Amino acid sequence: MFDWPTPEPIKVVRQYLAAMNARDAAKVEALLDDRIRFVDSRGEWIEGRENVATATRRFFDLEPDYRLHDMKIVMHAGDVLLKGRVSAREERLAHDTLWRARTRRGKLVYWQSYGEDSPALARILMPEAVRGGELN
């Protein structure tokens, strides 16, 4: 009935999701802001386009079956909130998950995962650059 325009932040997030599902590391990197912060479900993070791009390539190598499905996407107070399902070879990744994203000028500047039993991805993927969270 109504054809509402899609907000730019949602468009950017959808492009990111498509690039992740296509395992297109170059496209993922092109969507990242220079100051991107990737926060895993344990509160640890990796900052910077180069670091997050490297972590993404490592992730693709470690988890060849990772896919994001059934995404529900809404805007709230400047954030893009997502709810969906992950399929993956690694059991601890394959479950329903929530994410929060922020964009600026057509680039992803923040991505946070809220998985209940997810591994410490930031520490696994980029131990030399991880920050925050609780050290185990």
Side-chain angles (χ1 to χ4, degrees):
M1 185 157 131
F2 295 104
D3 190 19
W4 300 106
T6 302
E8 181 67 21
I10 290 178
K11 289 179 184 177
V12 172
V13 167
R14 284 183 178 156
Q15 291 171 1
Y16 175 76
L17 295 172
M20 288 294 292
N21 282 342
R23 306 178 58 74
D24 187 341
K27 179 66 173 172
V28 168
E29 185 172 4
L31 290 166
L32 302 177
D33 184 82
D34 288 340
R35 294 173 290 173
I36 176 73
R37 179 180 279 193
F38 165 84
V39 183
D40 70 19
S41 61
R42 297 189 179 215
E44 295 182 328
W45 68 85
I46 302 167
E47 289 183 321
R49 180 189 303 145
E50 185 176 320
N51 287 338
V52 173
T54 297
T56 299
R57 287 189 297 277
R58 288 177 181 174
F59 183 71
F60 288 163
D61 290 342
L62 289 172
E63 182 48 72
D65 297 333
Y66 184 84
R67 299 292 182 275
L68 302 156
H69 307 277
D70 305 324
M71 302 302 285
K72 309 287 188 284
I73 304 173
V74 298
M75 289 285 303
H76 178 66
D79 289 337
V80 179
L81 306 176
L82 304 97
K83 179 180 181 182
R85 185 173 52 83
V86 173
S87 62
R89 192 175 291 176
E90 167 59 52
E91 261 182 48
R92 294 179 299 165
L93 293 173
H95 51 72
D96 292 346
T97 304
L98 303 172
W99 296 270
R100 178 172 53 151
R102 291 186 195 122
T103 68
R104 182 176 29 231
R105 295 184 299 277
K107 301 287 185 178
L108 193 66
V109 296
Y110 188 85
W111 182 267
Q112 183 168 8
S113 176
Y114 296 94
E116 192 171 306
D117 189 31
S118 295
L121 281 179
R123 186 172 300 277
I124 291 167
L125 298 173
M126 199 75 180
E128 63 273 24
V130 74
R131 297 181 183 169
E134 296 185 15
L135 299 176
N136 296 330

